[in-house]
Amino acid sequence: MSNNKTIKSALISVFSKEGLEPIVRELNAQGVTIYSTGGTEKFINELGINVVPVEDITSYPSILGGRVKTLHPKVFGGILNRQNHDGDVAELEEYNIPQIDVVIVDLYPFEKTVASGASNQDIIEKIDIGGISLIRAAAKNYADVICVSSVNDYNEFLELITLKKGELNDDDRQRFAAKAFNTSSHYDTSIFNYFNKDQDISALKISETNGKVLRYGENPHQKGFFFGNFDELFTKIHGKELSYNNLLDVDAAVNLMHEFKGEAPTFAILKHNNACGFAQRETLYKAYIDALSGDPVSAFGGVLISNSEIDKTTAEEIHKLFCEVVIAPSFSNDAIEILKGKKNRILLVLKDIELPQTNVRTCLNGVLVQDRNTVSDTIEGVKNATTKSPTNEELEDLIFASKICKHTKSNTIVLVKNKQLSASGTGQTSRVDALNQAIHKARSFNFDLKGAVMASDAFFPFPDCVEIADQAGITAVIQPGGSIKDQLSIDYCNDNNISMVFTGTRHFKH
């Protein structure tokens, strides 16, 4: 495509003036007629550059407190006319409408205003009407007009008009049109989601303007992308680019460790979205050592996360392990230097922000959306189901195990002793298989399960699991309860001196 057109006129109406001056000066140097209004017109005048007020075109002042400035046929006629259409050209001459070749707009900051906690009235006033209309009009008529729709595009536009001396082609205009519709659709999505925050309208609007191409998807033959503001959640201080699978593991790690925020030093090692090592101790060093001992085989190539600063001593131990990612709220300077010893190892500082409150995933030819599972089991919230009550130490282990269980693939059984993950059975088609897997794994790493506790993500329909657990030495159980055959498991526990508590909350994770 070619269809080169030289810019002769420009309409500029922006919220953010940052980076605008060099554009205005370049347009002026190229002899471009500049139209503007309001604060932007004042800004250009103060630069000593000639600018034509929009009111001189429309013969109408800015009215309604600035709500109506550019919404006029003489403005939109100048943008929407087809320059190769004789009828359009004749009407421009008949009604004395100037041709507009460039529209530069930066919208009112609606999202930032919402995020600031402003009043509803202030938020409503930040819904841009004229600007969004100018963007849509200019982008629609990209055959003749180029639209700069965001402060984020100022630099690219300046480079373009400087390099090409204002003579742009169809490819240039169409690329900026796509950017413009990206801007307008994102803006409208934000407004809709604000008005629909109670979800009275069953519609899903998601817009992420921060996108990144990944090396590949889950496997090398699949394309992969990440859409979102990663830097809002993390500061990356070292390492290679994160892969699709890295990101999934990081997501699982962050959600799991969120359960232990503000608690004693806690360390987790994850592989394929599940914890393979987990421990809480009086020091982070001990927590890491005991987390690693839970499954030193699976830890190879894993994702590591702590709930407190990683110090030099802990970093020296971590450095002995090949791991993909290390996450912490902070790292000591010595720890950073040690862990940077592997050039590809990714080091992430987790910022203290709220996690998203909804989960979204594709399903069939649509999308599934649900509330994030924010319910965590507590000592105060459990109910004794058996004659024997768990000891205080067992109760703490039960809650510890339940939190891990909540973030492990179903069906799952989690075994814990002294706030250390002994083993878990993950993603099994039956709960009995999950339990047998956990017991086998614990024994393979020489864990003594006598006095350990067991957590289940869902109820036991039969007493087989508590029977198997009893034979392995487990003395306390936490589960949701709710089966019509709960009494069978309760009776077995009562007959065999096992304590069991019900939470009333299922924690499936698929």
Side-chain angles (χ1 to χ4, degrees):
M1 302 174 76
S2 54
N3 193 20
N4 289 4
K5 292 181 181 291
T6 300
I7 295 171
K8 297 179 181 178
S9 59
L11 171 61
I12 307 177
S13 180
V14 302
F15 178 84
S16 175
K17 315 300 188 294
E18 185 177 351
L20 183 62
E21 180 179 347
I23 292 176
V24 172
R25 293 196 182 281
E26 181 63 28
L27 290 172
N28 183 63
Q30 293 182 11
V32 174
T33 300
I34 298 175
Y35 302 96
S36 191
T37 186
T40 309
E41 177 195 343
K42 180 182 177 182
F43 173 82
I44 296 172
N45 268 320
E46 289 175 351
L47 294 177
I49 293 173
N50 188 44
V51 56
V52 180
V54 167
E55 291 85 348
D56 287 1
I57 302 174
T58 65
S59 299
Y60 271 89
S62 172
I63 61 173
L64 305 181
R67 281 190 165 197
V68 180
K69 290 180 283 192
T70 57
L71 295 168
H72 194 282
K74 283 198 171 184
V75 174
F76 282 85
I79 297 169
L80 285 166
N81 74 89
R82 295 157 291 185
Q83 293 180 26
N84 63 352
H85 190 283
D86 292 342
D88 286 7
V89 173
E91 287 188 84
L92 289 189
E93 293 179 0
E94 180 181 356
Y95 297 109
N96 193 28
I97 298 173
Q99 170 66 41
I100 295 174
D101 302 315
V102 178
V103 172
I104 302 176
V105 175
D106 184 64
L107 299 170
Y108 291 158
F110 179 83
E111 285 183 284
K112 288 183 179 178
T113 305
V114 172
S116 73
S119 68
N120 181 66
Q121 185 56 41
D122 287 342
I123 290 169
I124 297 305
E125 289 303 318
K126 285 297 185 289
I127 298 177
D128 206 311
I129 303 300
I132 204 77
S133 302
L134 291 171
I135 286 173
R136 291 179 63 83
K140 174 179 179 176
N141 199 30
Y142 73 87
D144 295 308
V145 181
I146 187 164
C147 179
V148 182
S149 59
S150 168
V151 64
N152 298 325
D153 298 323
Y154 285 3
N155 285 339
E156 183 180 350
F157 177 70
L158 176 61
E159 291 174 3
L160 191 66
I161 60 173
T162 303
L163 178 66
K164 295 191 172 185
K165 302 187 185 306
E167 186 177 341
L168 309 183
N169 60 35
D170 275 342
D171 288 338
D172 299 325
R173 293 188 295 272
Q174 186 169 4
R175 185 174 73 259
F176 273 82
K179 289 172 175 282
F181 284 118
N182 182 37
T183 297
S184 65
S185 63
H186 179 77
Y187 198 75
D188 285 340
T189 293
S190 300
I191 296 170
F192 169 77
N193 287 335
Y194 174 75
F195 277 90
N196 196 44
K197 52 181 173 284
D198 295 328
Q199 298 181 322
D200 294 328
I201 301 173
S202 296
L204 176 66
K205 307 286 185 186
I206 298 175
S207 179
E208 287 290 353
T209 56
N210 292 296
K212 182 168 186 171
V213 179
L214 304 175
R215 294 196 303 274
Y216 51 79
E218 202 161 7
N219 300 291
H221 62 276
Q222 296 170 270
K223 290 182 179 179
F225 304 86
F226 175 74
F227 295 98
N229 188 356
F230 186 83
D231 294 336
E232 184 180 48
L233 192 59
F234 297 101
T235 298
K236 182 183 173 188
I237 56 178
H238 182 68
K240 64 182 180 181
E241 293 297 313
L242 283 97
S243 69
Y244 183 99
N245 292 326
N246 286 155
L247 288 165
L248 287 175
D249 280 333
V250 168
D251 176 72
V254 168
N255 279 279
L256 171 59
M257 194 54 73
H258 188 72
E259 301 282 347
F260 301 87
K261 186 177 179 180
E263 295 190 13
T266 307
F267 209 102
I269 303 171
L270 287 88
K271 198 75 172 288
H272 295 292
N273 310 153
N274 295 306
C276 60
F278 203 101
Q280 187 175 89
R281 294 292 181 260
E282 63 273 18
T283 68
L284 192 65
Y285 172 80
K286 290 181 178 179
Y288 170 71
I289 293 298
D290 287 348
L292 180 62
S293 69
D295 186 350
V297 176
S298 295
F300 182 86
V303 168
L304 282 57
I305 186 168
S306 76
N307 71 343
S308 52
E309 180 174 281
I310 293 180
D311 55 24
K312 178 182 178 181
T313 306
T314 308
E316 287 173 339
E317 288 299 320
I318 293 172
H319 190 56
K320 298 173 184 177
L321 174 72
F322 169 71
C323 56
E324 293 273 345
V325 185
V326 184
I327 310 164
S330 60
F331 296 79
S332 72
N333 290 333
D334 287 338
I336 291 173
E337 291 308 309
I338 292 166
L339 295 173
K340 279 184 174 180
K342 298 289 177 67
K343 67 176 182 178
N344 289 330
R345 181 186 286 142
I346 300 164
L347 304 181
L348 300 176
V349 174
L350 176 61
K351 299 178 183 178
D352 187 18
I353 70 167
E354 287 297 314
L355 297 173
Q357 294 303 301
T358 55
N359 299 136
V360 182
R361 66 193 296 180
T362 58
C363 180
L364 301 175
N365 62 342
V367 176
L368 283 173
V369 180
Q370 67 172 353
D371 294 337
R372 180 169 157 259
N373 185 358
T374 57
V375 176
S376 297
D377 299 324
T378 63
I379 290 177
E380 297 76 19
V382 299
K383 177 183 177 182
N384 286 328
T386 52
T387 304
K388 181 185 178 184
S389 298
T391 65
N392 290 336
E393 291 76 13
E394 285 175 331
L395 265 176
E396 289 187 3
D397 271 355
L398 287 169
I399 297 303
F400 187 84
S402 177
K403 289 179 178 180
I404 299 172
C405 190
K406 172 184 169 182
H407 293 275
T408 306
K409 295 290 185 182
S410 299
N411 286 312
T412 184
I413 292 289
V414 169
L415 306 180
V416 162
K417 185 174 179 181
N418 298 327
K419 292 191 177 178
Q420 179 185 20
L421 175 63
S422 301
S424 59
T426 62
Q428 298 302 301
T429 52
S430 85
R431 206 156 304 284
V432 171
D433 285 347
L435 175 55
N436 284 328
Q437 182 191 49
I439 293 171
H440 172 77
K441 187 173 181 181
R443 287 173 174 166
S444 70
F445 290 111
N446 299 315
F447 277 97
D448 179 7
L449 293 178
K450 186 177 181 180
V453 306
M454 173 174 75
S456 174
D457 58 341
F459 62 63
F460 300 125
F462 303 102
D464 45 8
C465 280
V466 291
E467 182 177 353
I468 295 168
D470 175 36
Q471 293 169 359
I474 289 159
T475 56
V477 178
I478 186 169
Q479 59 133 321
S483 169
I484 59 174
K485 295 183 179 181
D486 274 345
Q487 195 60 45
L488 296 176
S489 295
I490 294 171
D491 289 343
Y492 182 91
C493 289
N494 283 335
D495 292 341
N496 291 275
N497 201 35
I498 298 173
S499 61
M500 181 163 64
V501 297
F502 287 173
T503 66
T505 304
R506 189 180 73 185
H507 290 299
F508 271 166
K509 183 184 179 188
H510 295 107

